[in-house]
Amino acid sequence: MIELKETTIEELKEKAIELRKAAVTMVYKAQSGHPGGSLSAADIISALYFKEMNVDPANPKWEDRDRFVLSKGHVAPIQYAALALRGFVPYETINTLRQYGSPFQGHPDMKKCPGIDISTGSLGQGLSCAVGMALAAKRDEKEYRVFAMVGDGECQEGQIWEAAQTAVKYELDNLIVFVDYNRLQIDGTTDEIMPLQDIEKKFEAFGFETKNIDGHSMEEIVAVLDEVRGSTNGKPKCIVANTIKGKGVSYMENVVNWHGVAPNDKEYAQAMEELAGGLK
Amino acid sequence: MSVTNTPVAKKATREGFGDEIVKLGKENKNIYVVDIDIGKSCKTTAFMNAFPNQHVNVGIAEQNGAGLAAGLATTGKIPFISTYAVFGSLRMAEQIRQEACYPNLNVKIACSHGGLTPGNDGGSHQAIEDMGVYRTMPNMTVIMGADYHSTRKLVEKAANTYGPMYLRFTRDAVPMIYDENEEFEIGKAKQLKDGKDVAIIANGDTVYLALQAAEQLEQEGISVKLLDMHTIKPLDREAVVECLEIGKIVTVEDHNILNGLGSAVSEVVAEEGKGKVRRIGVQDRFGESAPYEKLMELNGITIENIVATAKELLN
């Protein structure tokens, strides 16, 4: 077993800032990519990669590792930032996002990048893969857990609910699903495009144990992970994380257009300056 | 090779899958079956009863079944997704592309009701595009055995060969051609007859028709080379090139004539720049409820038409 050192909440907050800087830098250098959803997911990613998940950067395919499935694969930059900061790849890899030969493909590619447990990018599909991994752990009587992150817009895909019902059927209490509920998608707000209704109640109705947190409060993220750790109640977990798309960069926050646009020189400088000052 | 002389016994090739997967599941605990509700029809019930810990049933949710299988495969399992060909190809095509082919995971899709064999179910259930769909996906292997025994052998080979694969079976009973000791290799055509006047390349349930046609042609003094091209991808290019010494090829398949066996063979022939091909198969049209034999007749997938087409090529 690989034990992570105890990481304090303050340290996790600092890591979340570093992750944001790295993700924005990647997208800026590539002049391509998805900053908005990367920033909304940053705090959860920090807690997972710097505290919660049992992973080994020196042995990324270690069979007893916890798995992470980024079902909303387009926010790869935030996961890549974590992989770079944890040492799965050299830190300089952040300069190669979306370039020919880079492990940092436009969307996560398990064949090219160490630490990616499944290739994703086509929305709605990752949760099914996570269910397969969690089921394998149960069948093999292994202790590892599977963490998945799905987008809110992605929950418009029917396959998410096919996967959800299967997780409940097979009593996958080793599966923890985060919904990055930032309420925006490419064409507008989720309410305008396709209302999600009460996403937490939907998962609850499917049979999940659900939680609802502020996805930018490290205290709440850590607390909810403490709560679900070691659960043997037979219920998969769904944590609805209320987040802000673009969180940490003022001009990106809650702005639909920052879904998949790269900052220019001036915008990048401002972003770095704001992030240096921490989360507001 | 040894060919049973007077084939009378018939068995659906889905039975071959159902029997072989039980044997494989016993030998290898990593073999899984992912059912999509229709296990009874796809002949996986014996596996489910024997190895409940290696069995999953996701209900009527093909896309999820494909993704779940990919997740299992990342942990070293060898999942066989079992459903009907029309759903196992088209309903989950994108999931298989993204989560099995793109990351090159060891996921097998094992489908009954291939081609026109689900005759009375009607056009909605007849899979005429499936092999073509999967033939265009990188990393994918596409296989259809001709009879019960060859299907068993090919399922065994598939389980022991890494990579995403699509295996297609018949709903209906088809004549037994091979004996149980015949060996098969994925990607290697099986030569049933050697001849010098015309080559016939068939696969799946049409191999028996081609064999009957070849024998009829031989009785008329026409020498036939006959190949069972059970794997259409990777295609046994060498075997096709050898047919070009004859230069006249008839392909036969229970699949749309577009993008199946006939197309694969034609690509080689065109690239080699010599030889002529005539494609027998589903005439780029949907089927309807009818007996399987009637649908085959409507599309010209018959012994008579194979004979006539071979003769036309010779003239």
Side-chain angles (χ1 to χ4, degrees):
Chain A
M1 296 285 280
I2 302 280
E3 295 294 340
L4 274 183
K5 70 178 167 62
E6 275 300 308
T7 318
T8 66
I9 285 176
E10 281 314 308
E11 286 167 336
L12 291 175
K13 287 180 180 175
E14 285 165 24
K15 289 294 181 193
I17 294 295
E18 283 184 59
L19 290 172
R20 284 185 166 90
K21 285 183 184 169
V24 171
T25 300
M26 269 185 244
V27 174
Y28 165 68
K29 292 204 170 172
Q31 278 301 296
S32 171
H34 298 81
S38 291
L39 294 173
S40 65
D43 300 294
I44 295 160
I45 295 288
S46 175
L48 291 177
Y49 274 93
F50 293 96
K51 182 167 194 289
E52 193 64 24
M53 288 203 304
N54 202 5
V55 291
D56 180 3
N59 187 11
K61 292 202 179 297
W62 173 41
E63 64 175 26
D64 292 327
R65 73 191 182 279
D66 288 337
R67 269 72 171 171
F68 180 71
V69 175
L70 186 63
S71 197
K72 47 177 288 188
H74 55 282
V75 307
I78 200 68
Q79 188 183 8
Y80 294 157
L83 295 177
L85 283 164
R86 280 296 315 267
F88 282 85
V89 293
Y91 188 74
E92 303 70 51
T93 312
I94 70 162
N95 298 319
T96 66
L97 177 72
R98 293 180 168 236
Q99 289 176 21
Y100 180 67
S102 174
F104 290 174
Q105 294 287 296
H107 293 79
D109 183 341
M110 68 185 294
K111 303 303 282 185
K112 292 194 164 67
C113 185
I116 300 293
D117 294 314
I118 185 78
S119 303
T120 55
S122 180
L123 293 176
Q125 301 184 10
L127 191 54
S128 297
C129 303
V131 167
M133 294 172 188
L135 179 64
K138 288 282 179 192
R139 294 284 171 88
D140 292 343
E141 297 179 354
K142 283 185 176 285
E143 296 290 315
Y144 71 78
R145 292 185 293 164
V146 181
F147 296 86
M149 177 175 279
V150 303
D152 47 3
E154 184 182 11
C155 290
Q156 292 158 358
E157 292 273 12
Q159 193 185 339
I160 290 288
W161 305 102
E162 295 183 4
Q165 66 192 3
T166 309
V168 172
K169 174 185 172 182
Y170 289 103
E171 301 182 350
L172 303 179
D173 50 23
N174 55 349
L175 173 69
I176 296 112
V177 182
F178 281 92
V179 178
D180 185 8
Y181 196 10
N182 62 33
R183 298 166 195 266
L184 296 182
Q185 57 192 107
I186 291 186
D187 277 354
T189 67
T190 52
D191 278 348
E192 287 165 350
I193 306 307
M194 184 49 66
L196 299 164
Q197 307 304 336
D198 189 327
I199 195 84
E200 185 188 354
K201 273 195 185 151
K202 283 163 90 170
F203 273 99
E204 194 183 349
F206 269 73
F208 275 63
E209 178 183 346
T210 63
K211 308 283 177 188
N212 202 309
I213 62 163
D214 173 352
H216 299 308
S217 160
M218 197 57 78
E219 288 81 1
E220 290 191 30
I221 297 169
V222 167
V224 82
L225 287 168
D226 284 344
E227 243 180 286
V228 301
R229 194 182 306 117
S231 165
T232 54
N233 65 0
K235 288 187 170 190
K237 320 295 180 234
C238 173
I239 300 165
V240 176
N242 295 281
T243 56
I244 292 167
K245 206 158 178 173
K247 178 71 177 179
V249 178
S250 62
Y251 59 85
M252 290 188 187
E253 288 187 3
N254 272 325
V255 178
V256 166
N257 195 45
W258 284 102
H259 173 87
V261 175
N264 63 26
D265 294 348
K266 194 175 155 215
E267 288 161 341
Y268 175 66
Q270 187 187 336
M272 288 299 112
E273 195 182 317
E274 287 184 15
L275 287 169
L279 281 197
K280 299 290 180 298
Chain B
M1 66 138 306
S2 55
V3 174
T4 312
N5 285 332
T6 47
V8 281
K10 282 180 154 193
K11 227 170 182 180
T13 64
R14 62 176 157 159
E15 305 271 4
F17 167 64
D19 292 343
E20 187 63 23
I21 200 72
V22 172
K23 180 177 144 266
L24 293 166
K26 190 175 182 182
E27 292 165 358
N28 184 348
K29 294 295 151 199
N30 281 328
I31 299 279
Y32 271 56
V33 166
V34 177
D35 267 324
I36 303 180
D37 186 47
I38 41 181
K40 281 180 195 153
S41 181
C42 294
K43 303 297 165 193
T44 52
T45 308
F47 183 98
M48 175 186 73
N49 291 333
F51 316 110
N53 208 42
Q54 293 159 248
H55 180 265
V56 185
N57 195 328
V58 298
I60 308 164
E62 291 81 5
Q63 303 171 41
N64 179 49
L68 183 148
L72 287 173
T74 65
T75 71
K77 309 297 179 206
I78 307 169
F80 280 74
I81 302 166
S82 174
T83 181
Y84 293 163
V86 72
F87 311 130
S89 55
L90 299 166
R91 190 61 174 266
M92 60 171 75
E94 201 227 336
Q95 282 74 11
I96 292 297
R97 185 224 184 236
Q98 304 289 1
E99 306 299 350
C101 292
Y102 179 50
N104 196 26
L105 290 172
N106 201 11
V107 173
K108 318 297 178 188
I109 308 132
C111 292
S112 179
H113 291 49
L116 299 171
T117 66
N120 50 16
D121 285 331
S124 62
H125 280 54
Q126 292 153 11
I128 58 171
E129 315 91 337
D130 54 334
M131 298 177 86
V133 167
Y134 280 133
R135 195 167 80 87
T136 60
M137 292 188 192
N139 292 333
M140 184 59 100
T141 293
V142 182
I143 296 170
M144 186 178 192
D147 74 348
Y148 173 84
H149 287 304
S150 62
T151 296
R152 285 195 67 157
K153 283 285 163 65
L154 288 162
V155 168
E156 182 194 15
K157 291 281 180 186
N160 293 309
T161 308
Y162 187 89
M165 294 188 189
Y166 178 69
L167 297 116
R168 185 206 218 209
F169 316 122
T170 65
R171 182 195 72 170
D172 294 14
V174 293
M176 312 266 262
I177 297 171
Y178 301 102
D179 70 41
E180 61 188 329
N181 300 315
E182 191 68 32
E183 292 298 331
F184 291 83
E185 261 182 71
I186 291 170
K188 186 95 183 93
K190 178 68 72 181
Q191 182 166 298
L192 290 168
K193 285 181 181 293
D194 198 8
K196 56 180 177 39
D197 297 329
V198 65
I200 303 176
I201 306 177
N203 68 3
D205 44 316
T206 70
V207 173
Y208 179 73
L209 301 177
L211 190 58
Q212 297 297 104
E215 281 168 9
Q216 204 170 308
L217 287 163
E218 281 169 350
Q219 280 170 14
E220 296 180 38
I222 298 165
S223 167
V224 181
K225 179 181 175 106
L226 174 60
L227 299 181
D228 170 0
M229 194 67 83
H230 47 75
T231 309
I232 69 161
K233 185 189 175 187
L235 186 74
D236 187 347
R237 188 182 175 99
E238 203 178 310
V240 176
V241 169
E242 280 172 19
C243 291
L244 295 177
E245 286 166 24
I246 299 169
K248 299 176 180 73
I249 301 173
V250 180
T251 62
V252 197
E253 62 196 308
D254 181 2
H255 185 276
N256 200 342
I257 54 165
L258 302 180
N259 212 11
L261 172 67
S263 293
V265 169
S266 297
E267 288 160 16
V268 175
V269 174
E271 282 167 358
E272 293 293 323
K274 56 180 179 178
K276 277 188 183 174
V277 181
R278 294 289 179 270
R279 293 172 296 159
I280 294 175
V282 176
Q283 299 298 303
D284 195 25
R285 69 181 195 198
F286 290 112
E288 60 192 291
S289 284
Y292 159 69
E293 293 77 11
K294 176 69 181 173
L295 293 165
M296 295 289 268
E297 187 189 317
L298 287 168
N299 285 284
I301 313 171
T302 59
I303 298 166
E304 297 70 30
N305 192 39
I306 300 169
V307 169
T309 304
K311 284 183 181 171
E312 178 263 320
L313 257 185
L314 285 170
N315 291 328

